[in-house]
Amino acid sequence: MRTIRVKTASASYPVHVGPDIISNLGKHLHKLTGKRTPRLFVLTSPAIWALWGRQFLSTTPKSQRPSVLFLPPGEQHKRLSSVERLATELSLAGADRSSLLIAFGGGIVGDAGGFLAAIYMRGIPYIQVPTTLLAQVDSSVGGKTGVNLTTGKNLIGSFHHPLAVFADIDVLKTLPQRELLAGLYESIKAGIIRDPALFSFLEKNRERVLAGDPAALNRVVSSSVAMKAEVVGMDERESGLRMILNFGHTLGHAIEAVTGYKKLLHGEAIAWGMLTAIHISRSRKLLPEQDALRMADLIRAYGSLPRFFASIDDLLGAAGRDKKNKAGTRRFVLTQGIGNTVVVENVKDSELASALELVLAEAAR
Amino acid sequence: MRTIRVKTASASYPVHVGPDIISNLGKHLHKLTGKRTPRLFVLTSPAIWALWGRQFLSTTPKSQRPSVLFLPPGEQHKRLSSVERLATELSLAGADRSSLLIAFGGGIVGDAGGFLAAIYMRGIPYIQVPTTLLAQVDSSVGGKTGVNLTTGKNLIGSFHHPLAVFADIDVLKTLPQRELLAGLYESIKAGIIRDPALFSFLEKNRERVLAGDPAALNRVVSSSVAMKAEVVGMDERESGLRMILNFGHTLGHAIEAVTGYKKLLHGEAIAWGMLTAIHISRSRKLLPEQDALRMADLIRAYGSLPRFFASIDDLLGAAGRDKKNKAGTRRFVLTQGIGNTVVVENVKDSELASALELVLAEAAR
């Protein structure tokens, strides 16, 4: 088990990565909470609980059997109405500020569960036990929690750091291949924006990684988490550096919104968004053609992205509502080479439209 | 205009109290934001906007005309569904992290508006312009924001401090007498828990205060705010001292919940809750009988409290779900004399029931 520490101005907590973590969760929790033995509440998805619930329960002592709350799968449930239902259930079950919420699932469970913990009684402690690759390498780390509005993804939320994150490589065994792949796009992003060694590893070990080789996944998850922990540690609230994590996300979020959060997984939308950002970076001559090709090749090498249809106008409209925008300007993360990222505020609609034309043609094939 | 500064570990901001504040709001805002001139969004109630909207608009420069959002009156609208609607409206109107939200209304507008600002795009700046006495003396100061669940009041929320609070005594002129009175109960609470001079002032100046005499109200609001600012400055997150502000609130919240948030105004429920806490304090022999009489007399002297009907069981049940409870124990704020408050954790159901019996008899008359 490797432990990476996230240290920000407001919090410091460990991210544990490795095999055999859930089977020892009871011990880990005991270390975290000591003699307090808080009441435990688990938020999970029906599918994850069916696969891992028994093992989860077997590691917690009988005196601390958790109450289990469920969030159905799908972005359409990552909404304030679900959070309200869950908060009401917590309240009826007697959860209070000394209780501990465990978000045990993918990114949706983690984001919505973290937000539930952030706003229930103005904040209760929680831990993240991410069960998808995407959640392990990205959403469980950094304290961003939230839910969607109909007008955009994650437009509602809080910064609320977990007490700890437990990323168990074993659970990835039961992850559908498409979801594994979707998570890998965030690791590819980690490589592109800040970790050339991870980028090369992903280039050279495609088959091992896609086959779910535990050692290879351990390496990918650890490096991705370490990159993110470092960035978040330097800029907790996204006033500067942290924005580079949004590489591919401005358009990725717009694509998700325009396709109704149904057609594409988050990571897949981000992959399309990265391809768009690469186009813009290259047409600005920011990005050497050599690097542009390697980046696009790596994204495409990990599998064929699901197609989608959308109009440029709709995408520009949705991109206009992005959280990263400030007083009318459009923040955009571009790349100058592998590991070399830049944030600009002057990307014109026309530039975006040209890049989108290429990407939409590829997406409609 | 008197300015009281709230200084906590995480924020420092002014509370301005006095006449003629709204008519100069443009100037005040300019001082706050300088050259940034953020886009302004006002959240208000239809009634307040009808009374004060014209004056409000006349003080902001044309280049900064605010977009106006409305929250209908009543606790039933202080819910996540309203916050979701308002957030969607903000997003459609293009509000971003550099925008400024102004919560212009009573406690519900302030609490829900502050919470909206806390969670929209994970937090945007806001200011409070409270228009009821209750909001001026209590809810606008201290950074607590939130909405209700069906299972209890303010069970959802965040700590999110405003950039500033503007409490204009003039707006109290248009406040219905019942609401003025409801706010005064929080000032009486301020006197009971920590300010004997304010307590005496309220005893000696009942007629001036109830008649809405501006100088008297200025004194009451300033002292109440100063007391709260001091307490919040010493204990931002309610880990200790700040709990004394909840005097009368454990039962007050329970009464509101059991009567469906309809029968009583918040301040009125708190008044009944204070009478209950006084009964418990006196029957524990914590509170000299002399002081108990003065406290109960002062509460009753300000008008006859609306009656209500409830069962002891329902009230005990609702009190059990209070946010101040910790791992099964019931936190309770008691009084040992005027200005002398204590927090205990061992109030038994039987004690509560005895006190409630007296109060319910009085409330059913």
Side-chain angles (χ1 to χ4, degrees), chain B residues 202-220:
Chain B
L202 287 163
E203 281 183 322
K204 285 175 198 143
N205 297 274
R206 192 180 70 91
E207 289 190 20
R208 278 177 66 204
V209 171
L210 283 177
D213 174 81
L217 286 178
N218 206 349
R219 161 78 163 89
V220 168

Side-chain angles (χ1 to χ4, degrees), chain A residues 79 84 87 91-92 96-98 119-122 144-145 151 155-158 321 323 325-327, chain B residues 79-80 84 87 91-92 96-98 119-122 144-145 151 155-157 321 323 325-327:
Chain A
R79 295 294 300 274
E84 180 166 52
S91 128
L92 289 172
D96 65 24
R97 287 177 179 155
S98 67
I119 66 172
Y120 182 66
M121 293 189 169
R122 298 196 196 93
K144 280 191 183 181
T145 71
T151 46
L155 284 180
I156 290 288
S158 287
R321 283 193 295 277
K323 282 194 299 304
N325 298 328
K326 213 174 155 180
Chain B
R79 295 294 300 276
L80 275 180
E84 181 167 53
S91 126
L92 289 173
D96 64 24
R97 285 175 180 157
S98 67
I119 66 172
Y120 181 67
M121 293 189 170
R122 297 194 195 96
K144 280 191 181 178
T145 72
T151 46
L155 284 179
I156 291 288
R321 282 192 296 276
K323 282 191 302 300
N325 298 329
K326 210 172 156 181

Side-chain angles (χ1 to χ4, degrees), chain A residues 115-361:
Chain A
F115 186 58
L116 174 64
I119 66 172
Y120 182 66
M121 293 189 169
R122 298 196 196 93
I124 65 171
Y126 77 112
I127 69 170
Q128 294 275 19
V129 186
T131 59
T132 63
L133 183 62
L134 179 68
Q136 291 187 352
V137 300
D138 186 34
S139 54
S140 67
V141 177
K144 280 191 183 181
T145 71
V147 295
N148 304 327
L149 290 179
T150 52
T151 46
K153 212 173 132 82
N154 296 324
L155 284 180
I156 290 288
S158 287
F159 286 94
H160 187 50
H161 290 286
L163 293 184
V165 181
F166 297 96
D168 189 337
I169 297 298
D170 292 344
V171 295
L172 302 179
K173 278 184 230 159
T174 55
L175 192 65
Q177 185 71 12
R178 185 179 169 195
E179 290 204 36
L180 184 77
L181 193 49
L184 285 170
Y185 294 120
E186 287 280 0
S187 289
I188 291 174
K189 182 202 79 179
I192 291 177
I193 62 173
R194 211 178 150 85
D195 189 344
L198 174 60
F199 188 96
S200 301
F201 183 87
L202 286 164
E203 281 184 322
K204 285 176 200 141
N205 296 276
R206 193 180 70 92
E207 289 189 20
R208 280 177 65 207
V209 171
L210 283 176
D213 174 80
L217 287 178
N218 207 347
R219 161 76 161 90
V220 169
V221 174
S222 303
S223 297
S224 305
V225 167
M227 187 285 296
K228 183 157 184 186
E230 199 182 72
V231 169
V232 168
M234 288 189 275
D235 175 26
E236 180 176 17
R237 290 287 174 126
E238 200 171 304
S239 49
L241 182 65
R242 186 164 179 170
M243 268 183 293
I244 70 170
L245 299 176
N246 291 311
F247 181 69
H249 281 58
T250 304
L251 259 303
H253 287 166
I255 291 168
E256 285 185 284
V258 164
T259 55
Y261 300 107
K262 280 174 195 156
K263 190 100 187 156
L264 301 172
L265 297 175
H266 174 66
E268 294 164 351
I270 296 314
W272 285 117
M274 289 194 288
L275 289 171
T276 317
I278 292 165
H279 278 310
I280 298 172
S281 305
R282 116 207 293 169
S283 72
R284 283 195 167 204
K285 309 253 185 282
L286 274 176
L287 179 65
E289 191 53 37
Q290 181 79 1
D291 281 354
L293 285 171
R294 274 180 76 193
M295 289 174 188
D297 279 354
L298 184 62
I299 292 168
R300 293 190 187 109
Y302 270 80
S304 93
L305 282 166
R307 36 156 81 192
F308 70 95
F309 301 91
S311 81
I312 291 181
D313 272 1
D314 287 352
L315 288 172
L316 290 181
R321 283 193 295 277
D322 198 80
K323 282 194 299 304
K324 292 171 285 300
N325 298 328
K326 213 174 155 180
T329 66
R330 179 186 278 123
R331 293 261 175 99
F332 216 97
V333 188
L334 297 177
T335 169
Q336 308 181 98
I338 294 159
N340 186 359
T341 312
V342 63
V343 179
V344 300
E345 299 209 341
N346 59 355
V347 172
K348 293 190 206 106
D349 278 4
S350 57
E351 277 182 279
L352 254 179
S354 307
L356 279 172
E357 214 167 328
L358 291 169
V359 166
L360 288 175

Side-chain angles (χ1 to χ4, degrees), chain B residues 104-181:
Chain B
F104 181 41
I108 292 171
V109 163
D111 285 3
F115 186 58
L116 174 65
I119 66 172
Y120 181 67
M121 293 189 170
R122 297 194 195 96
I124 65 171
Y126 77 113
I127 68 169
Q128 295 274 18
V129 185
T131 59
T132 63
L133 183 63
L134 179 69
Q136 291 188 352
V137 300
D138 187 34
S139 53
S140 67
V141 176
K144 280 191 181 178
T145 72
V147 296
N148 304 327
L149 291 178
T150 53
T151 46
K153 212 173 133 78
N154 296 324
L155 284 179
I156 291 288
S158 286
F159 285 94
H160 187 50
H161 290 286
L163 293 185
V165 181
F166 296 96
D168 190 338
I169 296 299
D170 291 343
V171 295
L172 302 179
K173 278 183 230 160
T174 56
L175 193 66
Q177 184 70 12
R178 184 179 169 195
E179 288 204 38
L180 184 79
L181 193 48

Side-chain angles (χ1 to χ4, degrees), chain B residues 14 17 22-24 28 30 66-67 86 104 116 125 140 174 193 196 237 245 264 301 306 309 323 333 360:
Chain B
V17 180
I22 290 177
S23 53
N24 291 294
H28 296 308
H30 185 72
S67 305
L86 293 167
F104 181 41
L116 174 65
S140 67
T174 56
I193 63 174
R237 290 288 174 125
L245 298 176
L264 301 173
F309 301 90
K323 282 191 302 300
V333 188
L360 287 174

Side-chain angles (χ1 to χ4, degrees), chain B residues 251-273:
Chain B
L251 259 303
H253 287 167
I255 291 167
E256 285 185 285
V258 164
T259 54
Y261 300 108
K262 278 175 198 157
K263 190 102 186 152
L264 301 173
L265 296 175
H266 174 66
E268 293 164 351
I270 297 315
W272 285 118

